[in-house]
Amino acid sequence: MKITELLTKDTMMLDLQASSKDEVIGELVSILEDAGKLNDAASYKQAILKREEQSTTGIGDSVAIPHAKTSAVKSPAIAFGKSADGIDYDSFDGQPAHLFFMIAATEGANQTHLEALSRLSTILMNPEARNALLNASLKDEVLEIIDRYDAEEEEEEVPAQDPLQADPRGKVLAVTACPTGIAHTYMAADALKAKAKELGIDVKVETNGSGGAKNILTKEEIAAAPGIIVAADTKVEMERFKGKPVIQVPVADGIKRPQELLEKAVNGDAPQYAGGNEQNSDNQSTEKESRNGFYKHLMNGVSNMLPFVVGGGILIAISFMFGIHSADPKSDEYNRFAEILNTIGGANAFFLIVPVLSGFIAMSIADRPGFAPGMVGGLMAANGNAGFLGGLIAGFLAGYIVVGIKRVFRNLPQVLEGLKPVLIFPLLGIFLTGIIMFYLVSPLSAINTGIQDWLGGLGTGNLVILGLILGGMMAVDMGGPINKAAFTFGLAMISAGNYAPHAAVMAGGMVPPLGMAIATTIFRKKFNDAERKAGFACYFMGISFITEGAIPFAAADPLRVIPASVIGSAVAGALAMAFGIGLPAPHGGIFVFPVVEGNPFLYLAAILIGSVVTALIAGLLKKPAKI
């Protein structure tokens, strides 16, 4: 596809009236809107401004390339604007920008569109092309200039050099990546290659763009490289560079100071990358590398899930301050604002926890094509009461299914390449993930019923053992079928007039978030900054009986956190029974303590003891956080 199929006369303005950065963005958005290229101009402008917050798209040399890839775009397009006076655009070189190319890419832009958009960035790195555009006075002239410099070229693999002509210092390697993968990724690559040619340095650049990684660095090349440049503002696979001199900088530095980066890299003037593990042994096994990959994918899901857990959980906790039943229109305690808070936090934010976890795990494994199958699989897990463990299974399942689909269709003819991201990957990925999850999730309802029947058969013959079992069950899957089975049993006992089992249930459910909150306070060095912040929020979720607050910790480190939570919750449940506590309220945490039967201070003591047990076990077992 030619660039001029996306840049047309109706998306050009050669006499921009704007005098500020915000005004020129608004003017270019209006051009695209008037040309019928946008679904939602306001959302598209918001996406443009969000991209500007990450780093300016004023690349210097009189050029700015604001861009966004979003569903607010109806069809891929480029808007061109020109300002004779120039506009302060926070450019890399501090000079006013005169040429503006606004790139609008659809969420599902195909490969041919993405390649055309990225080629524009390459053209604008050419001084002759820029000067010609600065002097152009007619729209036809602009199109002719773009056509003249536009050449549809695949990013070439750098051929092996003649050993006699090869640079004795070795081949410098580089990786470039920006959040949208459209403009800066390729501009940084072009800047590095152009400067390397000028300096006589042998270089190979891997680009991580919207269409996936190209010119991928091999193990042999990495092993032989004197140094590696990573110019990126987004996630890049770094573990492969362990033990090598690596320069890590923002993608903008690849454009602004390529000479400095290349000279440092070719001389090995950079710190050695230590990798995800503190150990520096060269004999790492494949199994170890596989575990690192598992952890990386897991953390990608957890980090993206965390805002839903924290935001939704605190909103639910605030709603309880108006009364335990304040969100129920049928209750005398009903409060409209409490209902709104509960709806936002519980029915919406919390409902998305498992799908988001699954979607981002799958995306980490299979890149963008894995996201939709992962979300669908996670939603099936949530609707089937499979809890976050079901979400973990769905995420990894979807991710590796899509990886397999990519391999099966890797040799499609070039003319069909555009079908992969918009048809083949989502269709087959969602279908295969969905059909497998359907058969994995369905039996859980039968398991639920069986667990409830088993608990009912225990009766009250041994309340302490019953409390230990119920408390422990609340922490096994934190909102999943086992947790829900114990909770449902507690509700059934309330209906039958037996309030003791539900006291154990609530105690066990409060312990996991409280335990992890205490652990992040006492063992601060065992947790990273994000986990410590989540731990603070867990105090509020714990006292509000929101067990799901501990999910991020359990998902990130299940082998330590889940056993610690189960033990602490079991202790709390057993003590609640031993202290003769009864609880007639179905929910509410600390806010319903005034209505408990028995001594509320002993009930509080049971929960605190269980929480401290969880905190100590988790804190002592965990390794120091990776910085």
Side-chain angles (χ1 to χ4, degrees), residues 227-247:
I228 297 162
I229 302 165
V230 177
D233 291 333
T234 189
K235 183 186 68 176
V236 168
E237 176 53 57
M238 294 293 297
E239 206 61 29
R240 53 186 166 158
F241 303 140
K242 187 170 183 178
K244 300 295 297 185
V246 177
I247 304 169

Side-chain angles (χ1 to χ4, degrees), residues 100-370:
F100 302 89
F101 287 86
M102 178 171 280
I103 297 174
T106 57
E107 194 67 58
N110 64 36
Q111 192 65 28
T112 55
H113 287 145
L114 294 172
E115 288 175 356
L117 294 171
S118 65
R119 285 202 311 278
L120 173 64
S121 306
T122 301
I123 291 172
L124 295 175
M125 295 296 293
N126 187 320
E128 293 180 359
R130 289 198 305 270
N131 290 332
L133 290 168
L134 284 168
N135 294 320
S137 57
L138 300 173
K139 292 182 178 181
D140 285 329
E141 196 175 352
V142 171
L143 295 175
E144 187 276 327
I145 292 167
I146 296 294
D147 267 337
R148 189 192 320 158
Y149 289 95
D150 186 13
E152 297 191 49
E153 297 176 353
E154 292 293 326
E155 189 164 359
E156 76 282 4
E157 288 282 344
V158 177
Q161 282 187 299
D162 184 331
L164 297 177
Q165 298 178 352
D167 190 331
R169 295 172 293 183
K171 181 189 291 183
V172 170
L173 304 180
V175 181
T176 61
C178 67
T180 55
I182 295 173
H184 286 53
T185 298
Y186 302 99
M187 295 172 70
D190 289 337
L192 288 166
K193 288 187 284 188
K195 185 58 68 173
K197 184 176 181 181
E198 179 185 321
L199 298 174
I201 295 174
D202 194 6
V203 68
K204 178 179 178 180
V205 185
E206 174 186 307
T207 54
N208 285 247
S210 286
K214 289 188 177 181
N215 222 21
I216 296 173
L217 310 178
T218 67
K219 290 183 179 180
E220 294 75 19
E221 288 170 331
I222 293 170
I228 297 162
I229 302 165
V230 177
D233 291 333
T234 189
K235 183 186 68 176
V236 168
E237 176 53 57
M238 294 293 297
E239 206 61 29
R240 53 186 166 158
F241 303 140
K242 187 170 183 178
K244 300 295 297 185
V246 177
I247 304 169
Q248 296 188 67
V249 295
V251 69
D253 284 6
I255 302 171
K256 290 189 294 184
R257 49 192 191 98
Q259 180 170 343
E260 177 187 343
L261 299 177
L262 287 163
E263 288 176 344
K264 284 186 175 182
V266 79
N267 294 317
D269 183 15
Q272 282 197 345
Y273 181 68
N277 294 319
E278 296 179 7
Q279 300 174 355
N280 284 315
S281 170
D282 293 329
N283 298 319
Q284 290 190 11
S285 66
T286 303
E287 182 182 355
K288 185 94 171 211
E289 291 174 3
S290 175
R291 287 201 299 269
N292 290 339
F294 176 85
Y295 181 79
K296 181 193 72 174
H297 303 321
L298 194 58
M299 289 310 300
N300 192 55
V302 170
S303 63
N304 284 285
M305 176 187 71
L306 189 59
F308 295 86
V309 175
V310 175
I314 292 177
L315 287 175
I316 294 171
I318 294 172
S319 76
F320 287 132
M321 293 181 182
F322 294 90
I324 300 307
H325 303 291
S326 58
D328 183 0
K330 298 179 181 179
S331 171
D332 294 337
E333 296 179 343
Y334 175 67
N335 180 286
R336 177 61 175 165
F337 185 61
E339 181 188 16
I340 292 171
L341 291 175
N342 198 279
T343 300
I344 295 170
N348 292 281
F350 256 48
F351 184 74
L352 289 171
I353 288 174
V354 172
V356 168
L357 171 69
S358 303
F360 280 96
I361 287 175
M363 186 174 177
S364 179
I365 296 168
D367 211 349
R368 288 178 177 87

Side-chain angles (χ1 to χ4, degrees), residues 581-584 592-601 603:
I581 306 299
L583 183 65
V592 298
F593 273 32
V595 302
V596 301
E597 294 184 348
N599 190 324
F601 295 104
Y603 192 32

